[in-house]
Amino acid sequence: MPIEIVILLLVAVAGIAGSIVLLVFNASLQRAAADGPQDEAAFFADGLGGADAPLSAEVPLAAEGPRPAEGPRPAAARQELQFTPLDREPETQRAARPAPAAPEAVQPAAPGSTVVGRIALSIGNAQDIGTRAQQQDAFAITPLEEELVVRDHGVMAVVCDGMGGMENGAEAANLGAIQFMRAYLAADRVDDDTLVESVYRANESVYNAFAGKTGELAGTTLVAASILPDGLRFVSVGDSHIYLFRKGKLYQLNRDHNYFSELLEEVKAGRMTMEEARSHPERAHLTSFVGLEELELVDYNVSPVPLRPGDRVLLCSDGLFKTLSLQEMTEILASSRGFGAQEELLAAVRQKAKRKQDNVTVVLLYCDPVE
């Protein structure tokens, strides 16, 4: 994978044995806003509510919530925006479904994987600068070999995409990834609030380092996934994505915080056509990102998503899904063998040879049987 600068940071965290390996990269003066975002509303309606959706009824709802008051985040403070569960359907419809097909064969766990609950986890990552002058994406991953970190905090991955329309995009992404991971690992135990609180700590750090100190603008998207024995927790701000790939289907788990999401509400109300929403010049403008004085919108799941052997969890910046369609990404994940799907996704992006290709960052978590 072509990389201009690789900075290996070891961040020590009080009270936690081990360290986290931060793979942080600099790049891109400007994010591509020319390509319109995918229609997330249609995706949720068609992909998550269908009769053959493969996830179990235990799949959580997702929520957007306001910034909590100081101290623990009380449940009553959450203003939850509930999504349709992936596999919750009327009993009459469920009874009419055909018997499920035999489970697909899954790849044995890779060397260097770690066991979390009933699955063996491996992590792959890939990154490309595209046609940009700098790399403004950053990512961080907890090291699988640190048994105490995995025992107490599971496996964590975070991807940040610095906002090229603002000053210091690369620095904001690097700082956001580092401070989010530091706050997550500093928690005594991981619960339903840990990821959300870690986002607010990262937001404070980015804001205080730039706008709150010098008046310079800086911002970054952030998407993170934590895997513990009880399942997957995620959190996101901005328009980077997290997907779950299961049994040949790819599901986006989070929603975008951009103006296009608001335009979709206008489409639903009949005040705008979908064509007008897709072509709106401000459709890609973010409505929430890390680096704001007051962070209002944060996307997260209320309870963990149970994971199964054969699942893949994909985190990525928008340089991937604004270049490859959902179908193309799905086909690559479905046909990939071994643990190189992240490189295959990146190769497909390069093959498109877009004139204004944004930075691309891919982190893929492979869930496989415990040998």
Side-chain angles (χ1 to χ4, degrees):
M1 123 181 121
I3 302 173
E4 292 191 345
I5 301 176
V6 179
I7 304 174
L8 201 62
L9 299 175
L10 298 179
V11 179
V13 180
I16 298 177
S19 62
I20 61 173
V21 180
L22 297 172
L23 297 100
V24 181
F25 308 82
N26 298 312
S28 183
L29 290 174
Q30 201 168 15
R31 288 165 58 91
D35 297 331
Q38 296 178 10
D39 185 354
E40 280 83 9
F43 178 79
F44 272 90
D46 298 338
L48 301 190
D52 58 349
L55 297 187
S56 70
E58 292 79 32
V59 170
L61 308 178
E64 291 178 348
R67 176 180 179 139
E70 293 299 321
R73 182 186 180 92
R78 295 178 176 170
Q79 296 179 1
E80 297 173 356
L81 173 64
Q82 299 194 343
F83 297 169
T84 303
L86 307 193
D87 197 28
R88 194 168 296 167
E89 55 189 331
E91 292 296 330
T92 55
Q93 192 174 6
R94 184 176 299 144
R97 290 179 58 179
E104 301 174 3
V106 292
Q107 183 74 18
S113 63
T114 190
V115 175
V116 179
R118 293 180 294 177
I119 59 175
L121 269 176
S122 307
I123 301 180
N125 61 80
Q127 193 173 55
D128 191 74
I129 194 172
T131 61
R132 304 305 194 188
Q134 291 181 318
Q135 177 60 268
Q136 285 194 326
D137 290 355
F139 68 95
I141 303 168
T142 50
L144 302 185
E145 67 274 11
E146 295 289 351
E147 295 182 2
L148 292 178
V149 173
V150 174
R151 183 197 67 187
D152 294 338
H153 292 78
V155 172
M156 164 60 74
V158 57
V159 171
C160 292
D161 181 355
M163 296 169 63
M166 292 185 175
E167 304 171 21
N168 308 307
E171 291 82 356
N174 292 349
L175 184 60
I178 292 171
Q179 295 300 328
F180 175 87
M181 187 69 83
R182 180 174 289 160
Y184 176 80
L185 292 179
D188 292 334
R189 58 184 294 271
V190 179
D191 57 28
D192 294 340
D193 296 323
T194 305
L195 271 70
V196 176
E197 293 298 334
S198 298
V199 166
Y200 286 116
R201 302 293 81 77
N203 182 74
E204 290 174 0
S205 295
V206 173
Y207 176 78
N208 290 335
F210 298 101
K213 183 177 182 181
T214 65
E216 296 178 318
L217 296 176
T220 180
T221 71
L222 184 149
V223 62
S226 171
I227 298 180
L228 289 108
D230 60 352
L232 165 71
R233 292 172 173 83
F234 69 84
V235 67
S236 71
V237 181
D239 64 353
S240 293
H241 285 183
I242 178 171
Y243 299 90
L244 176 63
F245 177 78
R246 176 175 290 176
K247 292 186 177 180
K249 294 187 177 183
L250 188 62
Y251 300 92
Q252 183 183 336
L253 298 183
N254 66 327
R255 286 187 174 181
D256 289 351
H257 297 143
N258 57 22
Y259 190 51
F260 183 72
S261 298
E262 298 182 14
L263 294 175
L264 287 176
E265 296 302 318
E266 296 296 303
V267 174
K268 292 177 183 178
R271 293 187 290 267
M272 176 180 288
T273 67
M274 181 60 73
E275 291 72 21
E276 290 173 331
R278 290 182 187 278
S279 61
H280 196 286
E282 297 180 359
R283 65 190 181 279
H285 288 190
L286 296 184
T287 54
S288 185
F289 56 87
V290 170
L292 292 169
E293 182 175 7
E294 293 293 334
L295 184 58
E296 297 293 339
L297 295 178
V298 176
D299 211 39
Y300 61 96
N301 57 327
V302 176
S303 56
V305 179
L307 293 173
R308 304 174 183 173
D311 286 350
R312 304 290 183 251
V313 178
L314 169 65
L315 289 78
C316 62
S317 59
D318 65 350
L320 180 70
F321 58 83
K322 287 185 177 178
T323 302
L324 302 180
S325 68
L326 191 69
Q327 180 177 353
E328 289 171 321
M329 293 163 58
T330 301
E331 290 174 352
I332 291 171
L333 291 171
S335 62
S336 179
R337 295 294 178 264
F339 300 91
Q342 63 278 355
E343 295 291 351
E344 295 178 32
L345 288 166
L346 209 60
V349 169
R350 295 189 184 116
Q351 191 173 11
K352 296 279 186 178
K354 285 179 60 176
R355 187 170 61 88
K356 294 183 178 181
Q357 176 61 55
D358 199 358
N359 308 148
V360 182
T361 297
V362 178
V363 175
L364 197 58
L365 294 91
Y366 296 83
C367 306
D368 290 299
V370 177
E371 295 181 343

